[in-house]
Amino acid sequence: MAAVTTSTERSLNKLAIVGVLIVTIIFLAPIYWIASTAFKPRNLATTIPPTVVFQPEISPFVKLFTKRSQLRTAPTPEQYAAAPWWERLVFDGGEKVVRSGRGEVQWSGYPSRFMNSLIVAITSTILAVGMGTFTAYGFSRFKIKGEQDLLFFILSTRMLPPVVVAIPMFLMYRAVGLNDTHWGLIILYTAFNLSFSVWLMKGFMDEIPKEYEEAALVDGYTRMEAFFKIVLPEAATGIAATAVFCFITAWNEYAFALIMTNRRAQTAPPFIPSQVGSGLPDWTVIAAGTFLFLLPVAIFTFLLRNHLLRGMSFGAIRK
Protein backbone atom coordinates (compact mmCIF):
# COMPACT_ATOMS: atom_id res chain seq x y z
CA MET A 1 0.00 0.00 0.00
CA ALA A 2 2.84 2.35 0.86
CA ALA A 3 4.55 1.56 -2.45
CA VAL A 4 1.39 2.42 -4.38
CA THR A 5 1.05 5.72 -2.49
CA THR A 6 4.68 6.61 -3.19
CA SER A 7 4.26 5.82 -6.90
CA THR A 8 1.12 7.97 -7.05
CA GLU A 9 2.90 10.86 -5.35
CA ARG A 10 5.78 10.63 -7.83
CA SER A 11 3.36 10.65 -10.74
CA LEU A 12 1.58 13.69 -9.36
CA ASN A 13 4.90 15.45 -8.82
CA LYS A 14 5.90 14.77 -12.42
CA LEU A 15 2.55 16.07 -13.66
CA ALA A 16 2.97 19.18 -11.52
CA ILE A 17 6.45 19.79 -12.97
CA VAL A 18 5.14 19.36 -16.50
CA GLY A 19 2.27 21.73 -15.75
CA VAL A 20 4.64 24.36 -14.36
CA LEU A 21 6.89 24.07 -17.42
CA ILE A 22 3.93 24.45 -19.78
CA VAL A 23 2.65 27.53 -17.94
CA THR A 24 6.17 29.01 -17.87
CA ILE A 25 6.58 28.52 -21.61
CA ILE A 26 3.18 30.10 -22.28
CA PHE A 27 4.05 33.17 -20.21
CA LEU A 28 7.59 33.55 -21.56
CA ALA A 29 6.72 32.96 -25.23
CA PRO A 30 5.50 36.56 -25.87
CA ILE A 31 8.63 37.97 -24.20
CA TYR A 32 10.85 35.78 -26.35
CA TRP A 33 8.88 36.78 -29.44
CA ILE A 34 9.30 40.49 -28.71
CA ALA A 35 13.01 40.11 -27.93
CA SER A 36 13.70 38.04 -31.05
CA THR A 37 11.72 40.40 -33.31
CA ALA A 38 13.70 43.34 -31.93
CA PHE A 39 16.89 41.84 -33.39
CA LYS A 40 15.45 40.56 -36.68
CA PRO A 41 15.89 42.14 -40.12
CA ARG A 42 12.70 43.82 -41.23
CA ASN A 43 12.00 41.30 -44.00
CA LEU A 44 12.01 38.42 -41.47
CA ALA A 45 9.62 39.99 -38.95
CA THR A 46 6.41 38.83 -40.62
CA THR A 47 7.43 35.67 -42.46
CA ILE A 48 5.08 32.67 -42.54
CA PRO A 49 6.07 30.30 -41.06
CA PRO A 50 7.94 32.46 -38.52
CA THR A 51 11.71 32.62 -38.80
CA VAL A 52 13.31 31.25 -35.64
CA VAL A 53 16.96 31.00 -36.67
CA PHE A 54 18.40 34.25 -38.08
CA GLN A 55 21.42 36.53 -37.97
CA PRO A 56 20.74 39.12 -35.20
CA GLU A 57 21.24 42.78 -36.00
CA ILE A 58 20.78 46.07 -34.16
CA SER A 59 19.35 48.12 -37.02
CA PRO A 60 15.87 48.21 -35.37
CA PHE A 61 17.38 50.03 -32.38
CA VAL A 62 19.18 52.49 -34.67
CA LYS A 63 15.89 53.19 -36.43
CA LEU A 64 14.13 53.54 -33.07
CA PHE A 65 16.40 56.38 -31.95
CA THR A 66 16.61 58.26 -35.27
CA LYS A 67 14.22 59.93 -37.68
CA ARG A 68 14.21 58.29 -41.10
CA SER A 69 12.82 58.81 -44.57
CA GLN A 70 12.49 56.62 -47.66
CA LEU A 71 15.70 56.29 -49.66
CA ARG A 72 14.78 57.40 -53.18
CA THR A 73 18.23 57.04 -54.75
CA ALA A 74 20.95 54.71 -53.59
CA PRO A 75 23.89 56.43 -51.88
CA THR A 76 27.12 56.66 -53.81
CA PRO A 77 29.98 54.41 -52.71
CA GLU A 78 31.72 57.49 -51.30
CA GLN A 79 28.65 58.50 -49.27
CA TYR A 80 28.19 54.94 -48.03
CA ALA A 81 31.82 54.64 -46.96
CA ALA A 82 31.82 58.06 -45.24
CA ALA A 83 28.65 57.32 -43.26
CA PRO A 84 28.93 56.03 -39.66
CA TRP A 85 28.50 52.29 -39.25
CA TRP A 86 25.07 52.65 -37.69
CA GLU A 87 23.85 54.84 -40.57
CA ARG A 88 24.92 52.17 -43.03
CA LEU A 89 22.48 49.80 -41.34
CA VAL A 90 19.68 52.25 -42.16
CA PHE A 91 20.94 52.50 -45.77
CA ASP A 92 20.84 48.72 -46.04
CA GLY A 93 17.16 48.81 -45.06
CA GLY A 94 16.24 51.17 -47.91
CA GLU A 95 15.99 54.28 -45.73
CA LYS A 96 18.17 57.20 -44.74
CA VAL A 97 18.65 59.14 -41.52
CA VAL A 98 17.07 62.58 -41.57
CA ARG A 99 19.58 65.38 -40.97
CA SER A 100 19.18 69.09 -40.37
CA GLY A 101 20.47 71.79 -42.66
CA ARG A 102 23.75 71.76 -40.74
CA GLY A 103 24.11 68.02 -41.13
CA GLU A 104 23.10 67.11 -37.57
CA VAL A 105 21.28 63.84 -37.01
CA GLN A 106 17.60 64.24 -36.13
CA TRP A 107 16.81 61.96 -33.20
CA SER A 108 13.40 60.42 -32.68
CA GLY A 109 11.12 61.16 -29.76
CA TYR A 110 11.64 57.79 -28.06
CA PRO A 111 14.41 58.86 -25.62
CA SER A 112 12.34 61.78 -24.31
CA ARG A 113 9.22 59.59 -24.00
CA PHE A 114 11.24 56.94 -22.19
CA MET A 115 12.56 59.58 -19.78
CA ASN A 116 9.02 60.88 -19.25
CA SER A 117 7.94 57.35 -18.28
CA LEU A 118 10.78 57.14 -15.75
CA ILE A 119 9.97 60.54 -14.22
CA VAL A 120 6.23 59.91 -13.97
CA ALA A 121 6.42 56.29 -12.80
CA ILE A 122 9.14 56.80 -10.19
CA THR A 123 7.65 59.99 -8.75
CA SER A 124 4.10 58.66 -8.60
CA THR A 125 5.30 55.40 -7.03
CA ILE A 126 7.19 57.26 -4.29
CA LEU A 127 4.17 59.47 -3.57
CA ALA A 128 1.64 56.63 -3.64
CA VAL A 129 3.71 54.32 -1.43
CA GLY A 130 4.65 57.13 0.96
CA MET A 131 1.11 58.41 1.45
CA GLY A 132 -0.28 54.88 1.47
CA THR A 133 2.13 53.86 4.22
CA PHE A 134 1.18 56.79 6.45
CA THR A 135 -2.53 56.28 5.79
CA ALA A 136 -2.34 52.55 6.42
CA TYR A 137 -0.48 53.16 9.68
CA GLY A 138 -3.23 55.49 10.84
CA PHE A 139 -5.96 52.99 10.02
CA SER A 140 -4.00 50.17 11.66
CA ARG A 141 -3.02 51.87 14.91
CA PHE A 142 -5.83 54.29 15.74
CA LYS A 143 -9.56 53.94 16.14
CA ILE A 144 -11.17 55.98 13.39
CA LYS A 145 -14.88 56.59 13.24
CA GLY A 146 -16.35 54.99 10.13
CA GLU A 147 -13.10 53.18 9.37
CA GLN A 148 -14.70 50.48 7.22
CA ASP A 149 -16.69 53.05 5.24
CA LEU A 150 -13.56 55.11 4.63
CA LEU A 151 -11.59 52.08 3.52
CA PHE A 152 -14.40 51.09 1.16
CA PHE A 153 -14.49 54.63 -0.25
CA ILE A 154 -10.74 54.48 -0.88
CA LEU A 155 -11.14 51.13 -2.60
CA SER A 156 -14.03 52.41 -4.72
CA THR A 157 -11.64 54.67 -6.64
CA ARG A 158 -10.35 51.52 -8.38
CA MET A 159 -13.76 50.19 -9.38
CA LEU A 160 -14.01 52.16 -12.62
CA PRO A 161 -11.63 51.41 -15.50
CA PRO A 162 -9.40 54.36 -16.47
CA VAL A 163 -10.96 54.77 -19.91
CA VAL A 164 -14.36 55.59 -18.30
CA VAL A 165 -13.05 58.65 -16.45
CA ALA A 166 -10.42 59.66 -19.01
CA ILE A 167 -12.62 62.13 -20.91
CA PRO A 168 -13.93 63.98 -17.80
CA MET A 169 -10.39 64.11 -16.43
CA PHE A 170 -9.15 65.50 -19.75
CA LEU A 171 -11.69 68.32 -19.63
CA MET A 172 -10.80 69.09 -16.01
CA TYR A 173 -7.08 69.05 -16.72
CA ARG A 174 -7.48 71.31 -19.75
CA ALA A 175 -9.42 73.80 -17.63
CA VAL A 176 -6.70 74.01 -14.96
CA GLY A 177 -3.72 73.79 -17.32
CA LEU A 178 -2.45 70.35 -16.31
CA ASN A 179 -2.97 68.77 -19.71
CA ASP A 180 0.25 67.42 -21.28
CA THR A 181 2.32 68.01 -18.13
CA HIS A 182 4.41 65.69 -15.99
CA TRP A 183 2.66 66.75 -12.80
CA GLY A 184 -0.72 66.06 -14.35
CA LEU A 185 0.16 62.42 -14.96
CA ILE A 186 1.96 62.13 -11.63
CA ILE A 187 -1.10 63.34 -9.71
CA LEU A 188 -3.37 61.05 -11.72
CA TYR A 189 -1.21 57.94 -11.30
CA THR A 190 -0.66 58.68 -7.62
CA ALA A 191 -4.41 58.93 -7.00
CA PHE A 192 -5.01 55.79 -9.03
CA ASN A 193 -2.40 53.77 -7.10
CA LEU A 194 -3.13 55.22 -3.67
CA SER A 195 -6.08 52.94 -2.90
CA PHE A 196 -4.06 49.85 -3.78
CA SER A 197 -1.16 51.12 -1.66
CA VAL A 198 -3.38 51.82 1.36
CA TRP A 199 -5.10 48.44 1.33
CA LEU A 200 -1.94 46.45 0.77
CA MET A 201 0.09 48.36 3.37
CA LYS A 202 -2.69 48.11 5.95
CA GLY A 203 -2.38 44.34 5.82
CA PHE A 204 1.34 44.60 6.47
CA MET A 205 0.88 47.14 9.28
CA ASP A 206 -1.68 44.93 11.02
CA GLU A 207 0.88 42.12 11.19
CA ILE A 208 3.49 44.24 13.02
CA PRO A 209 2.97 43.77 16.79
CA LYS A 210 1.95 46.96 18.59
CA GLU A 211 4.13 45.91 21.51
CA TYR A 212 7.21 47.05 19.56
CA GLU A 213 5.96 50.64 19.47
CA GLU A 214 4.71 50.52 23.05
CA ALA A 215 8.17 49.47 24.21
CA ALA A 216 9.71 52.30 22.20
CA LEU A 217 7.27 54.83 23.68
CA VAL A 218 8.14 53.62 27.17
CA ASP A 219 11.82 54.17 26.36
CA GLY A 220 11.09 57.82 25.53
CA TYR A 221 10.55 57.73 21.80
CA THR A 222 7.89 59.95 20.29
CA ARG A 223 5.18 58.41 18.12
CA MET A 224 6.91 59.68 14.98
CA GLU A 225 10.31 58.39 16.09
CA ALA A 226 8.80 54.99 16.85
CA PHE A 227 7.20 54.96 13.40
CA PHE A 228 10.43 55.71 11.53
CA LYS A 229 12.79 53.65 13.68
CA ILE A 230 10.59 50.67 14.57
CA VAL A 231 7.66 50.32 12.18
CA LEU A 232 9.25 51.26 8.86
CA PRO A 233 12.14 48.76 9.12
CA GLU A 234 9.65 46.03 10.00
CA ALA A 235 7.43 47.01 7.05
CA ALA A 236 10.29 47.21 4.53
CA THR A 237 9.25 44.02 2.73
CA GLY A 238 5.68 45.23 2.43
CA ILE A 239 6.83 48.62 1.15
CA ALA A 240 9.01 46.92 -1.46
CA ALA A 241 6.16 44.68 -2.64
CA THR A 242 3.76 47.62 -2.83
CA ALA A 243 6.33 49.73 -4.70
CA VAL A 244 6.80 47.02 -7.33
CA PHE A 245 3.08 46.76 -8.09
CA CYS A 246 2.57 50.55 -8.09
CA PHE A 247 5.56 51.05 -10.38
CA ILE A 248 4.34 48.39 -12.82
CA THR A 249 0.86 49.96 -12.92
CA ALA A 250 2.19 53.48 -13.54
CA TRP A 251 4.81 52.28 -16.01
CA ASN A 252 2.38 50.32 -18.19
CA GLU A 253 -0.59 52.73 -18.06
CA TYR A 254 -1.82 53.55 -21.56
CA ALA A 255 -5.30 55.14 -21.59
CA PHE A 256 -4.53 58.23 -19.49
CA ALA A 257 -1.16 58.74 -21.16
CA LEU A 258 -2.77 58.60 -24.62
CA ILE A 259 -5.56 61.08 -23.85
CA MET A 260 -3.90 63.41 -21.33
CA THR A 261 -0.62 63.97 -23.20
CA ASN A 262 0.35 65.00 -26.67
CA ARG A 263 4.08 65.60 -26.99
CA ARG A 264 5.76 67.35 -24.06
CA ALA A 265 4.85 64.84 -21.32
CA GLN A 266 3.91 61.85 -23.46
CA THR A 267 5.16 58.54 -22.08
CA ALA A 268 6.46 55.52 -23.98
CA PRO A 269 3.30 53.30 -24.10
CA PRO A 270 1.31 55.53 -26.49
CA PHE A 271 4.44 56.46 -28.43
CA ILE A 272 5.68 52.96 -29.26
CA PRO A 273 2.71 51.96 -31.50
CA SER A 274 3.20 55.15 -33.51
CA GLN A 275 6.62 53.99 -34.68
CA VAL A 276 5.82 52.92 -38.22
CA GLY A 277 8.11 52.73 -41.20
CA SER A 278 7.57 54.02 -44.69
CA GLY A 279 4.28 52.58 -45.87
CA LEU A 280 3.93 49.42 -43.78
CA PRO A 281 4.45 49.18 -40.01
CA ASP A 282 8.03 48.39 -39.09
CA TRP A 283 7.42 45.71 -36.47
CA THR A 284 11.10 45.38 -35.69
CA VAL A 285 11.23 49.01 -34.52
CA ILE A 286 8.09 48.56 -32.44
CA ALA A 287 9.56 45.39 -30.92
CA ALA A 288 12.83 47.18 -30.16
CA GLY A 289 10.99 49.96 -28.34
CA THR A 290 8.90 47.41 -26.43
CA PHE A 291 12.00 45.39 -25.50
CA LEU A 292 13.75 48.45 -24.05
CA PHE A 293 10.53 49.44 -22.31
CA LEU A 294 10.40 46.08 -20.51
CA LEU A 295 13.92 46.38 -19.07
CA PRO A 296 13.34 48.92 -16.23
CA VAL A 297 10.45 46.92 -14.77
CA ALA A 298 12.38 43.67 -15.09
CA ILE A 299 15.46 45.19 -13.43
CA PHE A 300 13.44 46.84 -10.65
CA THR A 301 11.54 43.63 -9.91
CA PHE A 302 14.76 41.59 -10.01
CA LEU A 303 16.49 43.90 -7.53
CA LEU A 304 13.57 43.63 -5.10
CA ARG A 305 12.83 39.96 -5.74
CA ASN A 306 13.80 38.85 -2.22
CA HIS A 307 11.73 41.60 -0.60
CA LEU A 308 8.88 40.84 -2.98
CA LEU A 309 8.77 37.15 -2.05
CA ARG A 310 8.89 37.92 1.66
CA GLY A 311 6.34 40.68 1.26
CA MET A 312 3.84 38.42 -0.47
CA SER A 313 4.17 35.83 2.30
CA PHE A 314 4.27 38.39 5.10
CA GLY A 315 1.66 37.58 7.73
CA ALA A 316 1.15 33.99 6.56
CA ILE A 317 2.34 32.80 9.99
CA ARG A 318 0.26 34.38 12.71
CA LYS A 319 0.79 34.41 16.44
Side-chain angles (χ1 to χ4, degrees), residues 58 85 102 104 130 170 212 221:
I58 62 171
W85 64 269
R102 294 181 295 180
E104 298 176 349
F170 172 79
Y212 292 170
Y221 284 81

Side-chain angles (χ1 to χ4, degrees), residues 172-219:
M172 293 168 57
Y173 268 40
R174 187 175 62 178
V176 298
L178 286 175
N179 192 36
D180 199 19
T181 62
H182 292 94
W183 277 111
L185 282 183
I186 289 171
I187 293 172
L188 201 57
Y189 290 173
T190 301
F192 189 71
N193 277 327
L194 188 56
S195 59
F196 176 82
S197 177
V198 170
W199 272 80
L200 193 58
M201 284 305 304
K202 185 180 183 304
F204 294 126
M205 291 295 180
D206 289 341
E207 297 301 325
I208 300 175
K210 297 181 180 179
E211 289 78 9
Y212 292 170
E213 297 162 77
E214 293 173 355
L217 294 175
V218 171
D219 288 341

Side-chain angles (χ1 to χ4, degrees), residues 42 63-64 66-70 95 271-287:
R42 183 175 180 178
K63 295 178 182 179
L64 176 67
T66 57
K67 292 183 178 180
R68 313 170 317 278
S69 62
Q70 187 69 33
E95 296 177 316
F271 178 78
I272 292 175
S274 67
Q275 295 306 287
V276 294
S278 302
L280 296 175
D282 193 341
W283 296 112
T284 60
V285 176
I286 296 175

